[in-house]
């Protein structure tokens, strides 16, 4: 029997971050990480394997992250946890005893119950090198690809597939009126759809995939309205479900849709077991209800909390704000917190303001691009609830910065007067600074009672 002080199950974003955090807080502890796969993919890089990168091998988390931090690695699958004996067993028959256990078992792709999903050349987005190598080989021989699901994963896949010369038709089928509508307001979604159409991707929104047709291999996707979309390959990008298998079988508290139950300190219902990442439940920062958004950024934040708290509480989780960004060619978009549309669904009265200006100054600087910001404030309290951004590469960090304003519960006046640094080649002008000006417009609207 092997013994370790801290055992982490899962070797992706959450597991690795938890291990590094543990090492920083507990330098003397023996830390062991068990993961199923020989090689671990960078999950967010997966779509780029199929266009920009060209192979799964170029998208791996290097094991040196673990060795440099003196973390022992076991490649094996944990098959059971004995909470009383405080040990786990693996598929190869090993038993490993622990003082504290961290579950970072992640999520699995959701496969919809559509007729024909079992046909050859229907792929979900598994975080598995061998499986994605098969998808890559299949794409090399294909001409027509249909992607079911127009969220950010589906769209990133579509844009990357379109970069392959052999693919004539790349079609995205989205159930909602627009792609990305769960994360962005309509005007941003339309901007993205337009950009993808210019890049050759066909978008069929407000359409439902009813069946996948073919003899042995997929040939068509049939929509509810009867239309048939030709496809040599179908990629399912409709979301994920938390992987709660170990938690369920070991009697930890869980919900099969929401994930493993954890408290504000990332402790599960067993005091020696913590959990973090896609496998755990998340609550919306505004409503407190469970949210289905699962992001690597949130997973690593939770891991930094779990890793620090193992032998004494140091950190507490904030509810999930949901901060994400993506890009298609020169158009980047990002969203933090809730959208105007979502606020309406919650019945919250909001005031919104939008400002667009060049992202460098003067606007004639070579390479300057329009950068637009939309902010959503609660009408009664003037609290910042959400923000969306479009423009060039600065969108990613600007979205993070709006997320941090939401997390710090800033009100419109504070957003308007926050202190920023600017530079002609690096940022928008201090006069035209989009975040401050959007907040200013919102303040005026609120004063006028609009
Ligand atoms: C295509 C794609 C693109 C994405 N892009 C973004 C993005 O741009 N930004 C963003 O923030 N998020 C993005 N995400 C979401 C992000 O990938 C996930 O939030 C993240 O992977 C969660 O990390 P995790 O460590 O919790 O789980 P996972 O990545 O699912 O990893 C789980 C780990 O646990 C291991 N494991 C599970 N069970 C066992 C067991 N019994 N024994 C041993 N090991 C086990 C697995 O093998 C794996 O190593 C993307 C997701 C996908 C699929």
């Amino acid at each position: 029997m092997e013994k370790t002080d801290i055992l982490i199950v899962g070797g992706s974003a959450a597991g690795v971050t938890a291990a590094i955090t543990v090492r920083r807080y507990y330098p003397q502890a023996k830390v062991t990480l068990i993961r199923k796969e020989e090689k671990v993919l960078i999950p967010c890089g997966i779509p780029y394997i199929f266009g920009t990168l060209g192979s799964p091998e170029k998208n791996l988390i290097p094991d040196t992250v673990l060795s440099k931090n003196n973390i022992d690695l076991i490649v094996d699958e944990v098959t059971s946890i004995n909470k009383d004996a405080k040990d786990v067993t693996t598929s190869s028959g090993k038993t490993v005893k622990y003082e504290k256990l961290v579950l970072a078992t992640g999520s699995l792709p959701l496969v919809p119950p559509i007729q024909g999903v079992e046909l050859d050349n229907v792929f979900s987005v598994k975080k598995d090198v061998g499986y994605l190598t098969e998808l890559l080989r299949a794409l090399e021989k294909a001409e027509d690809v249909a992607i079911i699901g127009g969220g950010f994963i589906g769209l990133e896949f579509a844009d990357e597939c379109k970069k392959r010369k052999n693919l004539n038709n790349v079609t995205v089928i989205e159930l909602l009126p627009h792609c990305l509508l769960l994360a962005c307001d309509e005007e941003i979604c339309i901007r993205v759809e337009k950009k993808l159409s210019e890049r050759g991707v066909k978008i069929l929104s407000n359409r439902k995939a009813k069946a996948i047709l073919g003899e042995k291999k997929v040939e068509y996707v049939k929509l509810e309205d009867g239309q048939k979309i030709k496809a040599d390959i179908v990629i399912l990008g409709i979301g994920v479900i938390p992987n709660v298998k170990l938690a369920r079988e070991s009697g930890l508290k869980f919900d099969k849709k929401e994930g493993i139950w954890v408290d504000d300190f990332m402790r599960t219902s067993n005091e020696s077991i913590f959990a973090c990442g896609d496998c755990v439940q998340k609550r919306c920062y505004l409503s407190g209800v469970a949210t289905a958004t699962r992001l690597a950024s949130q997973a690593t934040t939770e891991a930094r909390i779990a890793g620090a708290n193992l032998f004494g509480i140091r950190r507490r989780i904030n509810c999930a704000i949901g901060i994400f960004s993506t890009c298609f060619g020169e158009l980047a978009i990002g969203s933090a917190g809730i959208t105007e549309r979502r606020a309406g669904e919650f019945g919250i009265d909001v005031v919104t303001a939008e400002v667009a200006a060049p992202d460098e100054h003067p606007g004639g600087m070579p390479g300057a691009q329009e950068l637009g910001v939309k902010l959503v404030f609660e009408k009664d309290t003037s609290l910042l609830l959400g923000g969306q951004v479009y423009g060039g590469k600065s969108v990613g960090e600007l979205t993070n910065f709006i997320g941090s304003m939401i997390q710090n519960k800033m009100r419109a006046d504070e957003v308007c007067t926050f202190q920023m640094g600017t530079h002609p080649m690096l940022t928008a002008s201090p006069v035209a600074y989009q975040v401050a000006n959007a907040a200013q417009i919102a303040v005026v609207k609120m004063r006028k009672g609009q």
Side-chain angles (χ1 to χ4, degrees):
M1 176 181 300
E2 292 192 26
K3 273 189 176 175
T4 187
D5 297 320
I6 296 151
L7 179 64
I8 295 161
V9 184
S12 180
V16 169
T17 307
I20 296 168
T21 309
V22 164
R23 174 53 69 229
R24 295 203 174 121
Y25 278 91
Y26 309 104
Q28 307 307 328
K30 179 170 166 60
V31 184
T32 307
L33 185 146
I34 305 190
R35 66 168 198 235
K36 274 198 291 215
E37 60 282 85
E38 193 64 48
K39 295 174 183 176
V40 189
L41 289 155
I42 297 170
C44 313
I46 290 172
Y48 303 97
I49 292 170
F50 303 97
T52 307
L53 292 172
S55 109
E57 303 295 329
K58 292 188 178 155
N59 181 49
L60 299 176
I61 301 180
D63 282 343
T64 46
V65 180
L66 300 177
S67 54
K68 269 202 255 162
N69 284 288
N70 191 22
I71 292 153
D72 297 338
L73 171 65
I74 301 174
V75 177
D76 207 339
E77 181 171 359
V78 174
T79 47
S80 66
I81 303 169
N82 184 334
K83 296 189 306 235
D84 298 327
K86 292 176 70 170
D87 63 36
V88 305
T89 40
T90 69
S91 55
S92 72
K94 260 195 199 80
T95 301
V96 185
K97 224 170 157 30
Y98 61 81
E99 259 318 294
K100 299 284 178 186
L101 174 68
V102 180
L103 295 179
T105 51
S107 58
L108 303 166
L110 199 61
V111 178
I114 302 180
Q115 176 200 329
V117 280
E118 71 295 340
L119 287 174
D120 284 355
N121 276 4
V122 178
F123 290 88
S124 58
V125 185
K126 289 190 190 162
K127 298 167 211 146
D128 176 309
V129 171
Y131 184 84
L132 295 180
T133 304
E134 260 181 60
L135 172 55
L136 187 62
R137 298 284 162 266
L139 281 170
E140 278 162 5
K141 288 182 242 146
E143 287 189 15
D144 306 290
V145 177
I147 295 166
I148 301 182
F152 73 93
I153 293 175
L155 296 188
E156 287 171 3
F157 260 94
D159 197 46
E160 289 299 304
C161 283
K162 201 65 202 97
K163 291 178 183 167
R164 306 191 70 84
K165 297 275 174 285
N166 57 309
L167 293 177
N168 290 334
N169 285 312
V170 178
T171 309
V172 175
I173 302 157
E174 167 57 45
L175 184 67
L176 295 174
H178 292 287
C179 293
L180 288 181
L181 202 53
L182 294 179
C184 301
D185 278 319
E186 197 178 80
E187 60 277 21
I188 304 273
C189 303
I190 291 172
R191 208 172 265 278
V192 170
E193 287 171 345
K194 188 167 169 274
K195 172 56 74 183
L196 282 167
S197 302
E198 282 164 18
R199 291 166 73 79
V201 175
K202 289 185 191 141
I203 308 262
L204 298 178
S205 52
N206 233 346
R207 312 289 278 282
K208 186 170 180 185
K210 193 167 174 226
I212 301 169
L213 307 177
E215 281 292 306
K216 185 164 178 294
K217 225 170 94 194
V218 55
E219 289 166 33
Y220 294 95
V221 177
K222 188 172 176 200
L223 307 185
E224 204 166 51
D225 60 12
Q227 189 182 346
K228 282 176 32 187
I229 311 296
K230 198 166 177 303
D232 309 314
I233 293 184
V234 170
I235 299 172
L236 305 168
I238 58 156
V240 294
I241 45 162
N243 178 4
V244 295
K245 187 168 181 276
L246 274 179
R248 183 182 63 229
E249 289 169 3
S250 58
L252 294 175
K253 197 171 156 190
F254 78 102
D255 177 283
K256 74 173 190 249
K257 276 199 192 141
E258 293 174 13
I260 304 171
W261 178 88
V262 282
D263 66 10
D264 287 356
F265 312 107
M266 308 312 296
R267 293 181 293 201
T268 68
S269 50
N270 180 286
E271 61 187 12
S272 301
I273 307 178
F274 288 63
C276 53
D278 277 9
C279 61
V280 305
Q281 65 167 47
K282 296 163 203 320
R283 274 167 289 125
C284 162
Y285 76 100
L286 193 61
S287 62
V289 301
T291 163
T293 312
R294 294 187 192 277
L295 292 164
S297 45
Q298 180 71 23
T300 55
T301 300
E302 292 163 356
R304 290 185 185 97
I305 293 168
N309 284 348
L310 294 183
F311 294 97
I313 297 303
R314 294 188 167 96
R315 290 175 171 165
R316 177 191 284 265
I317 187 81
N318 281 300
C319 286
I321 293 170
I323 308 169
F324 104 105
S325 48
T326 186
C327 69
F328 307 102
E330 65 286 5
L331 174 66
I333 59 121
S335 178
I338 65 161
T339 58
E340 184 178 5
R341 179 174 178 269
R342 192 92 179 106
E345 287 166 4
F346 280 135
I348 301 170
D349 261 351
V350 294
V351 167
T352 67
E354 285 176 51
V355 169
D359 59 0
E360 296 177 23
H361 56 289
M365 274 285 191
Q369 219 178 313
E370 185 182 56
L371 177 70
V373 171
K374 171 176 178 175
L375 298 181
V376 181
F377 294 95
E378 187 175 37
K379 196 171 184 181
D380 285 346
T381 61
S382 95
L383 264 180
L384 180 64
L385 300 182
Q388 291 157 70
V389 188
Y390 65 85
K393 283 205 164 162
S394 59
V395 160
E397 292 306 343
L398 190 55
T399 309
N400 286 342
F401 147 81
I402 292 172
S404 139
M405 288 179 155
I406 299 170
Q407 185 175 342
N408 285 294
K409 302 193 172 8
M410 287 175 72
R411 291 169 199 276
D413 245 332
E414 292 163 324
V415 177
C416 185
T417 55
F418 88 98
Q419 300 185 34
M420 86 282 279
T422 58
H423 182 272
M425 289 192 177
L426 300 175
T427 69
S429 133
V431 178
Y433 204 81
Q434 294 88 337
V435 171
N437 284 328
Q440 180 64 74
I441 293 169
V443 168
V444 173
K445 278 189 181 176
M446 282 183 257
R447 282 223 177 116
K448 287 186 184 161
Q450 286 172 358

